[in-house]
Amino acid sequence: MWSYLAGGDARRADALQIGIEQILEDVMPFEVTVDQVPRRLTLGDRVLELGFRQVIDDGVFQQLLVVVADVTRQVAAERGEALARELQGIVAQALRDPVSFHRFAVETEGLFAQVATEADAQVRARALHTLKGNTAIYGFATVSADVHALETALLEEPGLDPAAPLAAIVATWRERRAQIAVYLPREVDGIALSRVEHRDLI
């Protein structure tokens, strides 16, 4: 079962096997062991959600019922709602201060270029940390989360080549910018003044 559900991923199959075998051993409370098992899996283009039920006979745990539900549409809807909220947050940040947003965007492109070409691991780590924080501040939650995942992966495996995950992050970053472009002013190279500041200047 775990080999089938893992879809050819040996590491995922091992994790499922260990988790299910711990449930069947019935040493720890059922709820505790169930929480250790991955609950959502991707199999091809489908997202599956696992549920577990004990089959009790005469007060004894005899069998384990595994319920597999296809939640692909539900996950797609959740992602769509999350993306809408993210874009709304980005637009709000951009409209609040278009000049600062423009500077942030230029700086972010520079940081991505630095991460892609930097040989010094510490300098690259600092750039990633700055990217993670800045993108979070300006509402790019997906980009920030992906940068955090890359940051963690490089800490766990220092020799990892960041090129492929970085390219995916940059693609997401530029996709988000394209999605909000219609809401932003065309001209951002200027000085923003409040009405009071403008009056005082005059």
Side-chain angles (χ1 to χ4, degrees), residues 62-128:
Q62 297 287 358
Q63 291 181 312
L64 177 68
L65 174 65
V66 181
V67 180
V68 183
D70 188 331
V71 293
T72 307
R73 290 185 178 181
Q74 176 186 335
V75 170
E78 290 170 355
R79 287 174 179 166
E81 291 172 3
L83 174 58
R85 288 194 299 271
E86 181 175 343
L87 293 177
Q88 184 178 12
I90 296 170
V91 170
Q93 288 283 0
L95 294 179
R96 187 172 295 119
D97 189 346
V99 176
S100 294
F101 187 85
H102 176 69
R103 285 199 298 266
F104 150 73
V106 171
E107 180 184 355
T108 299
E109 288 286 348
L111 287 168
F112 277 131
Q114 182 180 10
V115 173
T117 58
E118 182 57 58
D120 188 317
Q122 289 188 340
V123 175
R124 185 176 61 195
R126 282 197 297 271
L128 280 171

Side-chain angles (χ1 to χ4, degrees), residues 102-183:
H102 176 69
R103 285 199 298 266
F104 150 73
V106 171
E107 180 184 355
T108 299
E109 288 286 348
L111 287 168
F112 277 131
Q114 182 180 10
V115 173
T117 58
E118 182 57 58
D120 188 317
Q122 289 188 340
V123 175
R124 185 176 61 195
R126 282 197 297 271
L128 280 171
H129 193 71
T130 303
L131 274 169
K132 179 177 67 175
N134 288 358
T135 51
I137 289 170
Y138 280 89
F140 290 82
T142 303
V143 175
S144 182
D146 290 346
V147 170
H148 177 66
L150 176 57
E151 196 177 29
T152 302
L154 289 171
L155 284 173
E156 294 175 350
E157 192 177 344
L160 177 70
D161 183 0
L166 182 64
I169 294 170
V170 172
T172 301
W173 154 254
R174 290 177 179 165
E175 179 184 9
R176 293 290 181 274
R177 289 192 62 193
Q179 288 167 326
I180 66 166
V182 66
Y183 302 105

Side-chain angles (χ1 to χ4, degrees), residues 1-60:
M1 180 187 64
W2 40 75
S3 297
Y4 174 76
L5 290 174
D9 186 328
R11 182 179 296 181
R12 182 186 295 172
D14 288 344
L16 278 171
Q17 180 178 357
I18 291 169
I20 291 173
E21 287 177 347
Q22 283 181 339
I23 295 174
L24 294 172
E25 286 171 1
D26 198 26
V27 175
M28 295 186 291
F30 180 75
E31 294 77 11
V32 174
T33 51
V34 165
D35 283 343
Q36 308 304 313
V37 184
R39 304 303 291 272
R40 279 190 178 179
L41 306 171
T42 301
L43 190 62
D45 59 354
R46 291 181 298 165
V47 180
L48 306 179
E49 187 169 80
L50 305 184
F52 300 93
R53 305 285 187 274
Q54 285 178 304
V55 179
I56 305 293
D57 188 12
D58 289 333
V60 179

